[in-house]
Amino acid sequence: WMVDSNDLYGNTSLQNAMAQMVEEFRRADAVIQAVDISGLGTDSEAAERAKSTTQSAMFYIANETGGELFEDANNFGPELEQVLRHTAVTYVLTFQPDEMDFDGAFHKLRVKADLPQGGRIFYRRGYYAPRPYNDLDPLEKQLLASDAIAAAEPRKDVGVKILATPFKASAQTAYVPVIIEIDGKSLLHGQEGDSVAAEIYTYVSDSQGQMLDFFTQLVSLDVSKGKESFIHGGVKYYGQLFLEPGDYMVRVLIRNSLTGRTGVETVGVAVPSYESRPAVILPPLFLEPQDRWVLVRENREGADQGTVLYPFTVNGEPFIPAANPRVEQQGQIDVCLVAYNLEDSSMELAAEVFDADQQPIEGGSFVLVERTITGISGQDKLLGRFRPEGLEAGDYTVQFSLNDPEIGPIHSSSVPITVLN
């Protein structure tokens, strides 16, 4: 009865807390490199016992997360140099399990390698299966969205298409409407009921990766009336940005709030310096019927949406362009091309079609119908008609170019297009 079980077996509650802490580190993919500075301690029996306990705990944390323990340090400098040296070369090995239960269970990993004499290998001890989306804490859901935006890797659970068009707003700024098309069928997949909530996250970054602006919104819809139409269309969202001349990346994440199904898409936006170029042509704006879309406009608090005229008009009639236009093989689709500094009437407009591998191919025809004066200084609109003659059903890119008969191509822009059976 005089024997303390904690001295023999350790403190059970503390061990459980340590195990839980290590589990959270592993679940977060955190590798712990531990540096033990107990070499600074005094040379006594009590200090040695404390040192042994400390090193055992630090070794456990490091080893269980795939890291290493650096012992008996009196100075952080050399040990940190060792950490950097030991982690200077990392091999990324990936695999995809054939089947996986969404139960959050831990799966062990073992890595084998032929190493030179004295070589050692450190690796992740395992991975956790995803948990059901509805079981996640709200903070975890927010972090998942943040990771997807930061990684900027495409995800196709929910179909997303983007069109970002930089209209001249002033000598220093462009007004950039962002059209986001959310596929209704993939957004509704896996959920019950007729109420759908779509989370929309849009961020823009410059060429150095610095985030400059963003807008987010939760769109809640009742699709009980017209659900079949929604499945064949979806949500068309209109957002807006103000950007200075330069190259940017617009990242869009769409997530179903009930199922967690996610779509991530990224598109580049080049905002020209309108004053320094002889001519500029914006991404082509294809006109299509809007009856298959639920139209939603950004509701940003504090945003002054009245400072810029609505830019999508043809002969005074407003429209919303298609981010991914679709046209029947035997059909045609109208297109509006906005150009700046198009003063020379001898300028030629050419259209070219590229396949899914971005290789030019024969097929498709474009006819210029009219050139209209907009009343906006330096801006012209070219109205035409595109026919997918000779193109099989599939995905393509249509590129429009302004050509000077004397010096050749001046400026071009493109947009993806889908040809239907």
Side-chain angles (χ1 to χ4, degrees):
W1 61 269
M2 295 180 63
V3 176
D4 189 347
S5 61
N6 288 342
D7 288 339
L8 290 178
Y9 308 110
N11 188 303
T12 303
S13 61
L14 182 58
Q15 290 177 350
N16 292 337
M18 285 279 288
Q20 183 179 358
M21 179 183 68
V22 169
E23 179 181 350
E24 294 301 329
F25 280 134
R26 291 190 304 210
R27 191 180 292 277
D29 288 341
V31 176
I32 306 300
Q33 307 290 349
V35 178
D36 167 40
I37 58 171
S38 59
L40 296 171
T42 58
D43 187 12
S44 66
E45 184 177 349
E48 285 298 321
R49 287 200 304 268
K51 177 178 178 179
S52 176
T53 302
T54 299
Q55 289 184 346
S56 297
M58 297 180 72
F59 173 80
Y60 173 74
I61 295 172
N63 185 67
E64 291 300 309
T65 60
E68 186 177 4
L69 170 63
F70 298 87
E71 299 178 315
D72 299 334
N74 281 329
N75 189 326
F76 267 124
E79 280 64 36
L80 292 180
E81 289 181 3
Q82 289 188 61
V83 171
L84 292 176
R85 187 166 58 251
H86 287 200
T87 58
V89 178
T90 301
Y91 294 91
V92 180
L93 308 178
T94 64
F95 74 97
Q96 183 172 348
D98 294 332
E99 296 181 1
M100 181 182 297
D101 295 328
F102 282 64
D103 55 3
F106 182 73
H107 299 265
K108 292 184 178 181
L109 290 174
R110 178 177 295 177
V111 178
K112 295 181 179 180
D114 293 329
L115 301 174
Q117 185 175 4
R120 301 170 64 190
I121 184 170
F122 298 88
Y123 57 90
R124 288 178 58 181
R125 298 304 180 187
Y127 66 93
Y128 287 88
R131 289 184 291 164
Y133 184 75
N134 290 334
D135 292 349
L136 299 180
D137 184 90
L139 179 58
E140 291 180 278
K141 296 178 181 179
Q142 293 179 14
L143 292 175
L144 285 176
S146 300
D147 287 345
I149 283 289
E153 295 179 355
R155 292 186 58 178
K156 304 297 184 182
D157 294 346
V158 176
V160 181
K161 300 295 182 181
I162 312 169
L163 175 67
T165 311
F167 292 91
K168 179 181 177 182
S170 68
Q172 298 81 25
T173 309
Y175 173 66
V176 186
V178 180
I179 306 298
I180 304 171
E181 292 179 356
I182 308 171
D183 176 65
K185 183 178 180 180
S186 57
L187 182 64
L188 291 176
H189 182 79
Q191 80 160 62
E192 300 178 356
D194 298 321
S195 296
V196 58
E199 303 171 19
I200 301 174
Y201 302 87
T202 303
Y203 292 81
V204 59
S205 58
D206 60 16
S207 56
Q208 284 74 43
Q210 180 181 0
M211 291 290 181
L212 300 179
D213 199 1
F214 72 96
F215 57 81
T216 65
Q217 191 166 337
L218 174 63
V219 177
S220 299
L221 302 169
D222 183 354
V223 297
S224 56
K225 298 178 181 179
K227 188 172 184 178
E228 191 66 27
S229 176
F230 185 85
I231 290 175
H232 290 90
V235 178
K236 180 171 287 195
Y237 184 86
Y238 183 112
Q240 61 180 6
L241 300 166
F242 288 90
L243 301 173
E244 298 178 353
D247 295 324
Y248 303 91
M249 296 296 293
V250 176
R251 306 175 185 180
V252 174
L253 180 145
I254 308 297
R255 183 168 64 183
N256 185 313
S257 295
L258 298 178
T259 64
R261 289 177 61 85
T262 301
V264 178
E265 196 62 66
T266 303
V267 65
V269 180
V271 178
S273 177
Y274 300 95
E275 303 298 331
S276 63
R277 296 192 180 195
V280 172
I281 184 171
L282 302 188
L285 308 174
F286 284 87
L287 286 67
E288 66 172 2
Q290 301 298 324
D291 53 359
R292 68 189 186 96
W293 297 105
V294 176
L295 304 179
V296 180
R297 183 158 183 174
E298 175 194 356
N299 181 21
R300 189 191 307 202
E301 294 183 5
D304 185 2
Q305 301 183 13
T307 58
V308 177
L309 295 176
Y310 183 75
F312 301 122
T313 60
V314 172
N315 292 324
E317 295 295 324
F319 71 96
I320 301 180
N324 186 192
R326 307 191 304 174
V327 59
E328 301 285 345
Q329 275 183 305
Q330 305 302 320
Q332 62 183 23
I333 186 170
D334 292 336
V335 58
C336 173
L337 298 167
V338 179
Y340 290 92
N341 306 327
L342 195 62
E343 300 174 358
D344 187 355
S345 60
S346 66
M347 198 80 67
E348 297 175 352
L349 179 65
E352 190 173 13
V353 179
F354 295 80
D355 62 16
D357 297 324
Q358 298 304 307
Q359 298 299 315
I361 60 173
E362 297 292 333
S365 66
F366 173 76
V367 178
L368 182 62
V369 176
E370 64 175 306
R371 173 181 174 181
T372 65
I373 305 300
T374 63
I376 300 175
S377 177
Q379 186 192 88
D380 290 276
K381 289 185 179 178
L382 309 174
L383 306 181
R385 191 163 290 124
F386 177 81
R387 295 185 177 93
E389 298 173 352
L391 297 178
E392 298 180 355
D395 296 326
Y396 301 89
T397 298
V398 179
Q399 176 177 285
F400 292 88
S401 302
L402 290 174
N403 301 313
D404 188 301
E406 296 182 358
I407 64 175
I410 293 178
H411 196 242
S412 64
S413 60
S414 61
V415 73
I417 189 170
T418 300
V419 178
L420 306 174
N421 285 319

